[in-house]
Amino acid sequence: MNDPLNTEEKILEAAKRVFVRSGFEGTSMQKIADEAGINKALLHYYYRSKEKLFEQAFSKIFRQFVPRAQEIFNSEIDFFDKIRLFVSTYIDLLVENPLVPGFILQEINRNPNILYHIITQAGVNPSFFFIHAEKEIAAGNIVISSSKHLFINIMSLCIFPIAARPLMQKIVFQNDQRSYEIFLEDRKTEVSDFIINAIKRK
Amino acid sequence: MNDPLNTEEKILEAAKRVFVRSGFEGTSMQKIADEAGINKALLHYYYRSKEKLFEQAFSKIFRQFVPRAQEIFNSEIDFFDKIRLFVSTYIDLLVENPLVPGFILQEINRNPNILYHIITQAGVNPSFFFIHAEKEIAAGNIVISSSKHLFINIMSLCIFPIAARPLMQKIVFQNDQRSYEIFLEDRKTEVSDFIINAIKRK
DNA sequence: AATCGGTTTAACCAATTGGTTAAATTAAGT
DNA sequence: ACTTAATTTAACCAATTGGTTAAACCGATT
């Protein structure tokens, strides 16, 4: 029943939830304080300003999604298996955190400057993916004009359907929630097949 | 030099610009009034509330992107040509309005309820695309588990790279702006080839 | 010239914003 | 028990928020 979190951690967790739900501009310090069950002045005591608190919250949210991807990209498995594992794992991860993609896309466009610090801090580095892809291209196993296109295609196919869910669910599934859940579950194999079909040597 | 727009239109155009730039929560009525070069009370005179003004602005922005897609989907051309034309046209359209995808993704997640009214009003109806795709599947010309997956794949590959540009430009191109411009230009053919490769009968 | 309806403005409103301050409370070390 | 430092609180601040109101302005009709 009692949470073992100290006040500082409790604030950051509350801030993460509220920021993801409402974005930076839509979030007030009071709402975060309410969510954390504490006084508003405490937010400023632990985190000097809204910006500072946001930066830490954003960074922590962002870092939730990096290590899993990094781990898979860096693993020594067959390239197609790597794609299959990444797509399946990532769609699962995104479905569990459905508001995060929209939140991140919103905030990077609002203030791109925060990115530089956060990306380096999170340790984002897809170079192992690029190296593996280039090797497969050189070996003639896959056909694609550039590993960068392939990388962004994979990300697009995984992330967009969740970021744009309310829109897509409405115009493609007449807003039927259950159908969209099944649809997303299907995508865990569907997207991999689509990608592999697109790039494998004929 | 003089603009032929009356005050009502001038307000809506200003509102569109500011809302797209800063989102609903990040936009104040004062900022819109400044952008339009008029008094704040005029906004309430022509559009009763911020919500009402937003709804009209959002609807107008949304409708900018629907007819072009509809037109292409409904045209009587070869299915692969249809994909090529759509991808190329849409990436161009999105590059010209780079902040719109992020704006829309942000707002549909913040308040999904507005969608119902706006989508019907905009006349979104991809059924001709689905019909054409199903026909090609039945004829054995393309291989895909569902036309819905194909539709959302196309949308993902076109929209995501622009919605997530600040992020992707940073982690894939070390934030080199010119490289990303070339990359997006390349995608106009690259994405079509990718999709067609993925679905065409082997 | 008087009047009319639509348009535009300045002044104002209560509520909320991010942030500060000084006092009260708590826990630990002596 | 006394002191000290970290923690938590209530009260407060100026600035901004969305929204209202009443008066001024303006071009057209009579």
Side-chain angles (χ1 to χ4, degrees):
Chain A
M1 198 68 355
N2 61 345
D3 49 3
L5 277 61
N6 61 31
T7 306
E8 194 170 356
E9 290 163 342
K10 210 162 58 181
I11 290 173
L12 194 55
E13 287 307 308
K16 276 170 55 184
R17 269 175 275 139
V18 182
F19 276 133
V20 165
R21 206 186 302 140
S22 310
F24 178 83
E25 301 279 9
T27 296
S28 70
M29 296 297 264
Q30 189 58 59
K31 273 202 263 180
I32 297 174
D34 292 347
E35 176 92 13
I38 49 119
N39 190 285
K40 182 169 74 89
L42 264 178
L43 304 183
H44 289 97
Y45 175 74
Y46 285 106
Y47 307 85
R48 290 169 38 80
S49 68
K50 189 185 178 186
E51 268 84 10
K52 293 268 203 307
L53 175 55
F54 176 77
E55 201 177 309
Q56 295 217 30
F58 187 102
S59 178
K60 199 160 184 183
I61 292 161
F62 194 83
R63 273 178 285 143
Q64 257 186 291
F65 289 81
V66 175
R68 291 274 269 288
Q70 213 75 292
E71 202 180 301
I72 296 170
F73 285 155
N74 297 1
S75 70
E76 304 264 359
I77 57 176
D78 174 75
F79 190 65
F80 289 166
D81 287 343
K82 190 174 278 194
I83 290 174
R84 271 189 262 266
L85 180 60
F86 174 81
V87 169
S88 173
T89 305
Y90 233 60
I91 288 179
D92 271 341
L93 187 58
L94 291 166
V95 166
E96 285 166 27
N97 304 275
L99 294 180
V100 169
F103 165 76
I104 291 180
L105 292 181
Q106 168 189 164
E107 298 303 330
I108 61 177
N109 278 299
R110 186 184 59 85
N111 181 0
N113 299 328
I114 312 184
L115 269 179
Y116 311 131
H117 176 233
I118 285 176
I119 283 181
T120 50
Q121 190 182 349
V124 178
N125 180 11
S127 59
F128 275 88
F129 174 85
F130 291 132
I131 290 169
H132 197 168
E134 302 289 348
K135 203 184 298 175
E136 297 291 323
I137 293 170
N141 296 331
I142 68 173
V143 182
I144 182 95
S145 74
S146 145
S147 60
K148 297 187 199 307
H149 279 292
L150 179 56
F151 178 79
I152 289 188
N153 288 353
I154 294 172
M155 293 295 165
S156 302
L157 292 167
C158 290
I159 299 172
F160 181 82
I162 282 146
R165 175 169 181 167
L167 188 58
M168 293 298 131
Q169 184 171 292
K170 171 75 173 121
I171 71 181
V172 177
F173 293 94
Q174 289 79 45
N175 213 35
D176 186 291
Q177 191 174 339
R178 183 76 190 112
S179 296
Y180 208 82
E181 282 167 19
I182 297 167
F183 177 74
L184 287 177
E185 182 66 25
D186 285 349
R187 286 187 75 78
K188 296 199 308 200
T189 57
E190 178 58 36
V191 166
S192 312
D193 292 345
F194 188 85
I195 294 166
I196 291 168
N197 257 334
I199 62 175
K200 77 157 171 256
R201 194 196 42 218
K202 306 303 180 303
Chain B
M1 199 66 357
N2 61 344
D3 49 3
L5 276 60
N6 61 31
T7 306
E8 195 170 356
E9 290 164 340
K10 209 161 62 182
I11 290 172
L12 194 56
E13 288 306 308
K16 277 170 55 184
R17 268 174 276 141
V18 181
F19 276 132
V20 165
R21 206 186 301 141
S22 311
F24 178 82
E25 301 279 9
T27 296
S28 71
M29 295 297 262
Q30 189 59 58
K31 272 201 264 179
I32 297 175
D34 292 347
E35 176 91 14
I38 49 121
N39 191 283
K40 182 169 74 88
L42 263 179
L43 304 183
H44 289 96
Y45 175 75
Y46 283 105
Y47 306 85
R48 289 169 40 79
S49 68
K50 188 186 179 187
E51 268 83 11
K52 294 267 203 306
L53 175 55
F54 175 77
E55 202 178 307
Q56 295 217 32
F58 187 103
S59 178
K60 198 160 183 182
I61 293 161
F62 195 82
R63 273 179 284 143
Q64 257 186 290
F65 290 80
V66 176
R68 292 273 270 285
Q70 214 74 292
E71 201 179 302
I72 295 170
F73 285 155
N74 297 0
S75 69
E76 303 264 359
I77 57 176
D78 173 77
F79 190 64
F80 289 166
D81 286 344
K82 191 176 277 194
I83 290 174
R84 272 189 261 266
L85 180 59
F86 174 81
V87 168
S88 173
T89 306
Y90 233 59
I91 289 179
D92 270 340
L93 187 59
L94 291 166
V95 167
E96 284 165 29
N97 303 275
L99 294 180
V100 169
F103 165 76
I104 291 180
L105 292 180
Q106 166 190 164
E107 298 304 330
I108 61 177
N109 279 300
R110 186 184 60 85
N111 181 1
N113 299 329
I114 313 186
L115 270 179
Y116 310 131
H117 176 231
I118 285 177
I119 284 180
T120 50
Q121 191 183 348
V124 179
N125 180 10
S127 59
F128 274 88
F129 174 86
F130 292 131
I131 290 169
H132 197 168
E134 301 289 348
K135 203 183 298 177
E136 297 291 324
I137 294 170
N141 297 332
I142 68 173
V143 182
I144 182 99
S145 74
S146 145
S147 59
K148 296 185 201 304
H149 279 291
L150 178 56
F151 177 79
I152 289 186
N153 289 353
I154 295 172
M155 293 294 164
S156 303
L157 293 167
C158 291
I159 299 172
F160 181 82
I162 283 148
R165 174 167 182 168
L167 188 58
M168 294 298 131
Q169 184 172 294
K170 171 76 173 120
I171 70 182
V172 177
F173 292 95
Q174 289 80 44
N175 212 35
D176 186 291
Q177 190 173 339
R178 183 77 190 112
S179 296
Y180 208 81
E181 281 167 21
I182 295 167
F183 177 75
L184 286 177
E185 182 64 26
D186 285 349
R187 285 188 76 76
K188 297 199 306 197
T189 56
E190 178 59 36
V191 167
S192 312
D193 291 345
F194 188 85
I195 294 166
I196 290 168
N197 258 334
I199 61 176
K200 74 155 172 256
R201 194 196 43 219
K202 306 302 180 306

